[in-house]
Amino acid sequence: MMGADGAGTERRTGEAGHTETYKIKWTPVPADPAALKAWLARGNVPFTDAMGAAETTGGLLCSQALSPVQRATLLSAIADLPGLRFDGKVTDRAGRVGQAFSAESSRSGLPTRYTFLVNPSSGTIMGQEEMLTKTAGKLNVPVPSVISYTVYLKAQHTSD
């Protein structure tokens, strides 16, 4: 629940059903893609490449339920990523059908493809994936390898 001053509580329920409640103070998510990128970068992670977009998007989606306008703004910001491409229809790990968009970055030290899975009807980001594409460096994994996957199942505002 959030008051007019942005103060409220956040409740998170994990996969095992354990719920935690936190006191928080939200600031409004900007409705302009350029302003959103700057707002997200306040945590020192630039939204200039796929790695930065994935990290900041994940943080945002884990902390706020976005309105349709905010979702559209986030998707517009992601659409501006250098090298973003449409990968086609996908089924996420929760069995939901969506569309995948990805871009690559080597800023982590390894060539990595960052994929955003989007519900085309609602504009919600259903999940994110990180995959090593060319080399695993000193990691003992085959290439290609998915090294991170996040599924966003439910985000909503409540009155309690």
Side-chain angles (χ1 to χ4, degrees):
M1 183 167 76
M2 182 171 59
D5 65 351
T9 56
E10 174 181 330
R11 186 177 321 140
R12 291 187 186 190
T13 303
E15 64 184 63
H18 175 73
T19 299
E20 295 181 8
T21 302
Y22 307 91
K23 292 199 178 292
I24 56 165
K25 179 148 181 147
W26 280 297
T27 55
V29 175
D32 171 75
L36 175 67
K37 290 177 191 179
W39 183 78
L40 289 170
R42 74 194 188 288
N44 297 322
V45 178
F47 197 106
T48 55
D49 69 354
M51 181 182 170
E55 187 173 329
T56 57
T57 297
L60 176 61
L61 294 175
C62 286
S63 66
Q64 293 197 39
L66 301 180
S67 71
V69 169
Q70 292 166 329
R71 288 193 306 263
T73 301
L74 179 59
L75 291 177
S76 292
I78 291 169
D80 288 340
L81 289 174
L84 184 75
R85 67 177 180 268
F86 175 61
D87 295 327
K89 183 178 170 182
V90 294
T91 302
D92 75 358
R93 294 181 186 209
R96 302 170 299 174
V97 176
Q99 296 179 337
F101 299 84
S102 64
E104 298 195 21
S105 173
S106 294
R107 192 161 49 95
S108 70
L110 295 172
T112 306
R113 178 178 304 130
Y114 296 87
T115 303
F116 301 89
L117 295 96
V118 178
N119 178 321
S121 300
S122 66
T124 57
I125 295 179
M126 302 166 17
Q128 291 179 241
E129 176 182 282
E130 297 176 18
M131 178 188 296
L132 297 177
T133 57
K134 296 181 179 132
T135 179
K138 294 182 180 181
L139 301 174
N140 187 22
V141 295
V143 173
S145 265
V146 173
I147 57 170
S148 176
Y149 195 97
T150 303
V151 177
Y152 304 109
L153 297 174
K154 185 176 183 180
Q156 66 185 33
H157 293 101
T158 63
S159 60
D160 57 347

